[in-house]
Amino acid sequence: MAKKGKKQNKSLVAALCVIAVIVLLAAAYGIFCMIVEDDKIWSEASINGVNIQGMSKKEAAKAVEQQFEDTYKDTAVTVELDGQQYSINVFPMLGIDASAEIEKAYEKGHGGLLMRGVEWVEMKQGKAEKLAYDVQPTAANPDKVDEAVQACGIQDYNSMQDTSYELTDSALVIHKGISGTRPDVEALKEQIKANVSALNFQDVIQCPTAENQLTTPDFAGIASQIYTDPVNAALDPNNGYAVVASTNGNSLDTDAAKAMYESAGENTDVVVPFTVTEPEITTEKMNANLFKDVLGSYSSSAAGGTSGRIHNLTLAASACNGQIVLPGETFSYNAVVGDTTAEKGYQEAAGYQDGKVIQVLGGGVCQVSSTLFSAILYTDLDVVERANHSMPVHYVPSGMDATVFWDSPDFKFENNHKYPVKIEMSVDSSSTLTVKIVGTKESDYTVVPRVEQTDEMSNVTYRDYKDANGNVVKTEAVCASKYKPLNSSN
């Protein structure tokens, strides 16, 4: 019995040793499985021919992306428009996503803990699972189609020849264009996106087109460029009063221009003459009518006056003689004659001052201003400023005199005509001063001055406008005068 017991003890010890070895081996295997785990792909895997075994998932993704770029970077679709082909690079629209395939390849060795050791051994023995994936690109960035089309330049194509115009001296010349086609860019983009989605890079895309209609010119805007007012011929005071030529006015009949354009065929020239407006006073009219008429005249006598008076009168008349008054200008007697000083050659002669007759430098020049006023009264020129003498004078009727003194009062009139007027003054051998206002008669009326007494020493001066039959058609009051009793002749 003792012998049998010893034998059983030995068997138990052996069994326990085996179990211990198994436990130790199991523990060692577990520790080994925990130790061998890393972030590499154990499977013998490839994606699109790129071997990713031994790579991390990030490295694998980068390798696949690089292979995709190398393969597709020059991928383009061909678009044809009007016989011309355009190559549109669509690589920016493409993308690739191999994350799912990389994840599958990564599963070996990164799954259950107890399988890692076996899978590691299989990898080392070259028995790892062989995986091969074919991942196609996709239209990942369809919005990139805008820049792809822009880069090829097809959007600039236009078979239309646009309308243009030019201005000559006398007409608007419109070169009517030719209507044509242009690419329907939005429709083309949709077609490109469809081909890219289908990975169809071989078929030539026929570019969709849209009609391009000619644009009607902006006739109102053109008319504003053309329009000019007619300008009358005039005299240039800075060039010896030489005649400055008139210019015609130009305008455009926009309705007529539009009608002519719309009725014309394409690829033709449309000539629209300007509407020319002649000025009221052309160069020819100015040359033919300048200073041809005596508008008004008056003469007064200085006979019996002193030599000083006649001398002064002659000096002042000489200053006024030949003075030209342009349309719209105002003639000022004092501005033309100036101060009657001894330095200018004026002498002493009788004149009015404070109701008395005294000797003054320039005495007698009021006869020139008064005779000028009297001549103006026979015209329709506007009297701007006039003052009567303090006492009546003998050389013109009461109410037709105009006193002057430096520098006030003054005698002024305005040329309200369309033509220039000129003052002609002369003193003859009998000491008669004659004033003529020459210009261009612009109406058929005859102007006759008339003075009406309002009391013994006051009056009102009128102008009567008479027609060809002598009928008064208009009367205007020019000025009123009030005098003191005459004490002595000036």
Side-chain angles (χ1 to χ4, degrees), residues 270-315:
V270 182
V271 180
V272 186
F274 297 156
T275 300
V276 178
T277 305
E278 277 196 349
E280 190 172 1
I281 303 175
T282 63
T283 305
E284 293 75 16
K285 287 181 179 178
M286 176 65 81
N287 288 325
N289 295 306
L290 185 63
F291 305 137
K292 73 179 182 65
D293 300 315
V294 176
L295 305 179
S297 65
Y298 200 85
S299 296
S300 65
S301 177
T306 65
S307 60
R309 176 184 177 82
I310 295 173
H311 174 80
N312 293 340
L313 180 147
T314 303
L315 273 182

Side-chain angles (χ1 to χ4, degrees), residues 465-479:
Y465 292 77
K466 297 182 179 181
D467 62 18
N469 297 318
N471 300 313
V472 176
V473 295
K474 184 177 76 169
T475 295
E476 66 177 7
V478 179
C479 59

Side-chain angles (χ1 to χ4, degrees), residues 297-303 309-310 313 317 364-375 393-397 400 425-428 430-435:
S297 65
Y298 200 85
S299 296
S300 65
S301 177
R309 176 184 177 82
I310 295 173
L313 180 147
V365 297
C366 287
Q367 183 170 347
V368 179
S369 58
S370 296
T371 308
L372 175 59
F373 173 53
S374 297
V393 296
H394 67 276
Y395 42 79
V396 295
M400 295 178 65
M425 287 193 184
S426 62
V427 181
D428 64 16
S430 62
S431 300
T432 297
L433 168 64
T434 299
V435 177

Side-chain angles (χ1 to χ4, degrees), residues 64-127:
V64 172
E65 285 281 353
Q66 185 61 53
Q67 189 272 347
F68 159 71
E69 182 176 346
D70 293 342
T71 303
Y72 287 94
K73 64 182 178 182
D74 295 323
T75 301
V77 296
T78 301
V79 177
E80 187 170 82
L81 175 61
D82 200 15
Q84 183 175 348
Q85 290 191 338
Y86 298 81
S87 180
I88 300 178
N89 188 298
V90 294
F91 175 68
M93 298 175 62
L94 298 173
I96 194 167
D97 183 4
S99 58
E101 287 74 14
I102 292 172
E103 201 62 48
K104 287 178 183 178
Y106 186 76
E107 286 177 357
K108 288 294 183 181
H110 302 87
L113 177 64
L114 296 180
M115 290 300 296
R116 290 175 191 164
V118 176
E119 290 170 346
W120 183 85
V121 172
E122 288 178 347
M123 177 189 70
K124 289 301 182 180
Q125 292 179 346
K127 296 179 180 180

